[in-house]
Amino acid sequence: MIRCLFTAVLLLGTPLLATASADGPQPGEAYPGGATTHTRVGPVSADAFSHSAANIAFDDKMTFALGRAIFRKLWVSSPSSTTASDGLGPLYNARSCERCHLKNGRGRPPETPNDNSVSLFLRLSIAPRSTADLSTQQQRGVVPEPVYGTQLQTFAVPGMEAEGQLQVSYEEQRVALADGGDAWLRSPRYQILQPAYGPLHPDLQVSARIAPPMPGLGLLEQISEADILSLADPKDLDGDGISGRPNRVWDQARQTTALGRFGWKAGSPSLAQQNSSALQGDIGIGNAMIPGASGDCSPQQTTCLQAPNGNTEAQGGLEASQQMLDWLLFYSRHIAVTPRPNAADPEILAGKRLFNDSGCARCHRPHFVTADNPGLPALSQQSIWPYSDLLLHDMGEGLADHRPEFAANGREWRTAPLWGIGQTRAVSGHNYFLHDGRARNLLEAVLWHGGEASAARDRFIAMPTDQRTQLIRFLESL
Ligand code: HEC
Ligand code: HEC
């Protein structure tokens, strides 16, 4: 009896509870980031993702502002008189974090051949060929393309050639909906034009990624590992067709494997590591966690390795000091999630019911309570509504990139958190979704779901028009 009671209490404590009774508005769901949620006055604006967590201490607002300055800093090539900002590249994808994560919103694919959008890039790799490759894969998640490295850098400092240019083309296919309507889905094809360092490996694997939105990441980092793992069902023992596996990745700081949480395949264990690898891989800035002033230059790219660097005494012998990393980390942890003033609107509640009943919430887990962390008081024990289990799911052939990353296979993706998704147009000026921005609206994003999400997608296709509209209105309210 005592044991039963104990189990019941444990069950009540799991994140499942919040999906169980979803008919009315649930306590706190209008504030998806708990006490960190930005308390907006007035209409949604392009600055909706630009606020610090509402509950940080007054003094911490200064640290947030310093972090934001690093996030927006435009790095310049070396040598330069502005030694605190030099070290760009030599190969790079953009000169600042903000160029891709514009207004902390999401990136987008290029819209025309001459579009200079940089917020979609190609990750590169090859399949392992030797035991040495296997150990590289264990630490880096992938085996880099032997010459071009792990990412196609489409820019280079003066005097050097960019690795190549990315061209995206699309093929359209029609999807019929049960109500007689239809939708067109576009499948992307990526081509690397003008490869400047010789032919690419014949077995090249590519994965296109757009920059994800930044709000609430610090809260996702504070969900306890046990809560996430309790949702995993790798062998689908409950027989609902949905498994969910954790990614296990290399943790640079702790020099061990850890649960992956960040990136479209959950390839990074922490914001500190994600930020450092972005500095290094996207901008070419060496730093305390990932030193090396040459960014993603490979041993074959000798002129790249010999180019002047931005290491300076003032930055601890690096291009970006530990202090810069600390500010950046504070910033990326404390970007506020937006409120949901219309969470109790009957139309939206109807959409929410459809979301739950269709099985969307089996992966897009609505609710968690973050762990107690005295070091991060603002993010501690918050009741949050991110709509993700942070686990990997097989999403079918349509979305597959056939490029494994750590434990994630070529068909698996991390459930994308949905909070803030309704603000995309206001913040980013577009409505492109999914890891490579192929979906041009929320309808298309859902229709692309396959694999473990096929049954949920089919229920969505089968809905009468007004129900599908209600479900999409619910997504727009997030
Ligand atoms: C060239 C574009 C680009 C630049 C520059 C860039 N990012 Fe990103 N960022 C991305 C992409 C694309 C992803 C997704 C990566 C993946 O799936 O592996 C990402 C992912 C992230 C994530 C994880 C988000 C999530 O939801 O999991 C964080 C945090 C982040 N970037 C921070 C930064 C910081 C800090 C900088 C500057 C030092 C930066 N980024 C620079 C494109 C960029
Ligand atoms: C099996 C798990 C699973 C189920 C079930 C599921 N999703 Fe998803 N969802 C994902 C994953 C994984 C992604 C990211 C896929 C990608 O980017 O390629 C995603 C992405 C999305 C996106 C785009 C998010 C973004 O940031 O671009 C939306 C919107 C979405 N899902 C809504 C839904 C709705 C509505 C349903 C129910 C009809 C649903 N999902 C069911 C796993 C799931």
Side-chain angles (χ1 to χ4, degrees):
M1 183 62 205
I2 290 181
R3 209 209 199 136
C4 281
L5 254 178
F6 187 60
T7 330
V9 171
L10 265 185
L11 276 177
L12 281 175
T14 68
L16 271 173
L17 177 68
T19 56
S21 103
D23 279 359
Q26 287 157 283
E29 72 172 319
Y31 297 91
T36 67
T37 313
H38 169 60
T39 43
R40 160 162 66 87
V41 190
V44 178
S45 79
D47 291 327
F49 294 168
S50 298
H51 305 281
S52 59
N55 60 344
I56 58 173
F58 183 75
D59 287 352
D60 287 339
K61 296 211 160 131
M62 183 51 128
T63 315
F64 185 83
L66 290 164
R68 180 170 53 205
I70 308 293
F71 197 78
R72 292 182 177 171
K73 179 197 276 288
L74 273 176
W75 294 87
V76 299
S77 55
S78 305
S80 156
S81 53
T82 55
T83 55
S85 302
D86 76 336
L88 178 69
L91 297 168
Y92 63 95
N93 288 92
R95 287 178 56 201
S96 70
C97 312
E98 175 83 16
R99 277 284 278 135
C100 295
H101 299 276
L102 195 63
K103 294 205 160 287
N104 292 331
R106 70 176 67 217
R108 62 169 179 81
E111 289 175 321
T112 59
N114 299 322
D115 182 348
N116 67 353
S117 162
V118 296
S119 55
L120 173 138
F121 63 60
L122 279 194
R123 292 218 185 278
L124 309 175
S125 52
I126 58 169
R129 302 154 299 177
S130 60
T131 42
D133 278 358
L134 285 172
S135 73
T136 305
Q137 190 179 38
Q138 202 185 352
Q139 297 218 342
R140 302 194 60 185
V142 295
V143 181
E145 204 284 342
V147 178
Y148 291 81
T150 54
Q151 198 165 305
L152 182 76
Q153 274 89 16
T154 48
F155 291 91
V157 298
M160 275 196 51
E161 281 193 88
E163 289 186 319
Q165 297 310 319
L166 168 63
Q167 198 175 62
V168 194
S169 53
Y170 295 96
E171 205 175 291
E172 301 261 353
Q173 81 202 58
R174 182 175 168 270
V175 178
L177 305 172
D179 61 2
D182 62 7
W184 288 86
L185 299 186
R186 51 172 203 172
S187 315
R189 205 169 78 98
Y190 301 100
Q191 262 182 298
I192 297 171
L193 305 181
Q194 299 132 32
Y197 297 84
L200 285 131
H201 196 277
D203 300 324
L204 182 71
Q205 303 168 332
V206 303
S207 184
R209 312 274 172 100
I210 57 164
M214 297 290 293
L217 299 177
L219 293 166
L220 297 182
E221 195 175 40
Q222 294 306 316
I223 298 174
S224 82
E225 185 161 334
D227 281 354
I228 297 170
L229 297 182
S230 75
L231 298 171
D233 182 16
K235 299 211 165 70
D236 191 20
L237 295 179
D238 65 6
D240 66 351
I242 295 178
S243 48
R245 302 195 307 133
N247 202 349
R248 304 298 307 183
V249 307
W250 186 250
D251 187 325
Q252 202 80 27
R254 295 191 294 141
Q255 289 290 300
T256 178
T257 41
L259 174 69
R261 292 176 193 245
F262 299 105
W264 289 97
K265 279 191 194 269
S268 186
S270 64
L271 288 173
Q273 186 162 325
Q274 178 72 44
N275 293 349
S276 289
S277 61
L279 270 173
Q280 165 83 12
D282 304 347
I283 314 181
I285 297 296
N287 55 79
M289 187 184 286
I290 309 182
S294 313
D296 191 36
C297 305
S298 67
Q300 268 88 324
Q301 291 170 320
T302 41
T303 40
C304 182
L305 292 173
Q306 286 155 7
N309 64 51
N311 291 343
T312 53
E313 205 61 49
Q315 300 295 320
L318 300 159
E319 294 182 325
S321 64
Q322 184 60 48
Q323 177 70 81
M324 283 189 186
L325 292 187
D326 293 345
W327 286 333
L328 205 50
L329 181 57
F330 188 87
Y331 177 69
S332 57
R333 276 179 169 157
H334 293 93
I335 298 168
V337 173
T338 45
R340 293 183 58 214
N342 53 1
D345 176 322
E347 274 284 295
I348 291 184
L349 286 173
K352 177 172 125 179
R353 211 167 306 126
L354 291 162
F355 183 84
N356 289 319
D357 293 349
S358 307
C360 311
R362 302 295 300 171
C363 299
H364 295 282
R365 294 284 177 173
H367 182 251
F368 294 86
V369 176
T370 59
D372 184 17
N373 184 342
L376 292 167
L379 306 177
S380 211
Q381 293 191 299
Q382 295 298 334
S383 165
I384 62 165
W385 300 78
Y387 295 91
S388 171
D389 55 9
L390 299 185
L391 294 172
L392 299 170
H393 296 274
D394 181 327
M395 294 298 283
E397 194 52 32
L399 286 174
D401 64 355
H402 304 289
R403 179 181 181 270
E405 188 178 337
F406 290 104
N409 70 33
R411 293 160 64 98
E412 284 176 318
W413 299 96
R414 176 194 74 166
T415 307
L418 299 178
W419 53 10
I421 199 162
Q423 327 274 337
T424 304
R425 186 169 288 290
V427 173
S428 305
H430 67 74
N431 253 338
Y432 295 112
F433 299 106
L434 299 174
H435 63 271
D436 52 11
R438 67 176 70 187
R440 291 162 291 193
N441 50 49
L442 291 167
L443 173 77
E444 290 183 11
V446 184
L447 292 175
W448 270 111
H449 283 53
E452 294 172 38
S454 304
R457 177 209 53 208
D458 290 346
R459 284 180 210 116
F460 180 73
I461 290 179
M463 282 176 193
T465 319
D466 57 335
Q467 290 193 357
R468 207 164 34 243
T469 307
Q470 283 173 335
L471 200 159
I472 288 182
R473 279 210 57 207
F474 166 69
L475 295 175
E476 286 168 349
S477 80
L478 296 176

